[in-house]
Amino acid sequence: MLESLEIFAEEIGPVKSAFLATTFTWIVTALGASLVFFFKEIKRSVFDTLLGFTGGVMIAASFWSLLAPSIKHSEELFPSAPWIPAAVGFLTGGLFIFALDKFMPHLHINFNKDETEGLATKWHKSTLLLLAITLHNIPEGLAVGILFGAASMGMEGASISAAIALAIGIGIQNFPEGMAVAMPLRRHGVSRRKSFWYGQLSAIVEPIAGVIGAVAVIYMQDILPYALSFAAGAMIFVVVEEVIPETQRDKYTDLAVLGFMAGFTIMMILDVALG
């Protein structure tokens, strides 16, 4: 199955591959959001465990799928200091999301309306929740697209199988993300249909970011190691600033940590086994 996907990805090229892979992650988000048609709410213990799982996947992907290939490739460019592109890209990625976080109005899941971040606004809570998850999904789409582009350029440490593994890992953790938007909205009285709509809409940015990432590294090959570490820095910022704090606001912190470890382990296995 994996070999067939690799052949197919080689045939259609990195941009289309990135688009299809991130469309898959979008669809999985929609599947998670669709649970709102069957349940009005989800137990907080389950919710926090799934959020922890999401953080684990993102942290593992940041190292094995992005930072490690960046450093490996940089050994040829900077033999004496291969850490330079990884460090520069990593910090730039974090600062990029930091800037978006400061200016884009959004509200983290499980937070109260008076804890809205970004520029002051009177937007509805559902819109702010949607923007929070959208902010979360930008680096995920970029990561998949950049990795497909890097693999097509023959970058050492990057491969199509690794890009597929990353897409699968992000897809798995997008399932609870869809629920994370849809369920709170339903709990606050939003209709099932609107809750589902907002839940799936949060991931529509991933195919867009995926295509941008793939195109960028194809036409600007010199930025490859920087681009990979940029995506890693962006994801780490999201996990530490958003995902982890959301799991620590109730009494299920231990379950969230166990979920984190499970997500980290699964993503590590996917990348090592398939990548």
Side-chain angles (χ1 to χ4, degrees):
M1 179 64 175
L2 178 62
E3 186 176 349
S4 299
L5 288 175
E6 289 178 7
I7 294 173
F8 178 69
E10 289 178 356
E11 290 177 349
I12 65 174
V15 176
K16 290 182 179 178
S17 295
F19 176 75
L20 291 178
T22 47
T23 297
F24 161 75
T25 63
W26 175 24
I27 291 172
V28 178
T29 305
L31 289 175
S34 70
L35 291 184
V36 78
F37 291 111
F38 307 98
F39 307 99
K40 186 173 183 178
E41 60 182 337
I42 185 172
K43 289 183 178 180
R44 184 60 186 266
S45 58
V46 175
F47 195 78
D48 285 348
T49 303
L50 291 175
L51 278 180
F53 180 89
T54 293
V57 169
M58 293 177 73
I59 292 288
S62 296
F63 176 73
W64 271 280
S65 299
L66 301 169
L67 281 174
S70 172
I71 294 171
K72 186 70 175 176
H73 184 69
S74 299
E75 290 175 352
E76 300 177 2
L77 302 176
F78 302 92
S80 59
W83 48 267
I84 289 178
V88 172
F90 184 82
L91 292 174
T92 304
L95 289 172
F96 171 72
I97 299 299
F98 171 79
L100 290 181
D101 188 72
K102 290 301 179 185
F103 291 102
M104 180 187 291
H106 62 284
L107 177 66
H108 296 292
I109 301 164
N110 298 327
F111 281 47
N112 298 319
K113 183 70 181 332
D114 60 2
E115 296 178 279
T116 299
E117 297 182 3
L119 297 177
T121 179
K122 294 182 180 180
W123 290 349
H124 193 274
K125 186 174 182 178
S126 59
T127 303
L128 296 171
L129 283 170
L130 173 64
L131 288 174
I133 300 297
T134 300
L135 182 66
H136 182 157
N137 287 330
I138 290 173
E140 295 176 3
L142 279 174
V144 174
I146 289 169
L147 196 53
F148 270 109
S152 72
M153 296 293 102
M155 177 179 177
E156 188 175 0
S159 65
I160 291 176
S161 57
I164 293 172
L166 178 61
I168 293 172
I170 289 177
I172 291 172
Q173 61 97 36
N174 271 10
F175 187 84
E177 280 187 11
M179 291 192 302
V181 177
M183 291 295 185
L185 294 179
R186 179 59 183 154
R187 190 168 61 248
H188 285 91
V190 179
S191 70
R192 296 181 189 275
R193 186 169 296 182
K194 279 190 175 182
S195 296
F196 167 75
W197 174 254
Y198 282 119
Q200 63 82 31
L201 191 63
S202 65
I204 197 171
V205 70
E206 290 198 7
I208 299 170
V211 169
I212 291 173
V215 170
V217 298
I218 289 172
Y219 289 98
M220 294 180 284
Q221 296 181 34
D222 291 340
I223 71 167
L224 271 174
Y226 297 95
L228 286 167
S229 53
F230 176 94
M235 288 212 287
I236 293 294
F237 186 95
V238 167
V239 173
V240 177
E241 196 274 337
E242 177 184 337
V243 177
I244 292 177
E246 289 169 7
T247 67
Q248 304 298 302
R249 292 172 65 86
D250 212 316
K251 58 184 178 181
Y252 304 108
T253 56
D254 288 346
L255 291 177
V257 174
L258 291 174
F260 181 96
M261 294 181 71
F264 187 97
T265 302
I266 289 174
M267 187 64 233
M268 176 180 64
I269 291 172
L270 278 174
D271 193 83
V272 175
L274 302 182

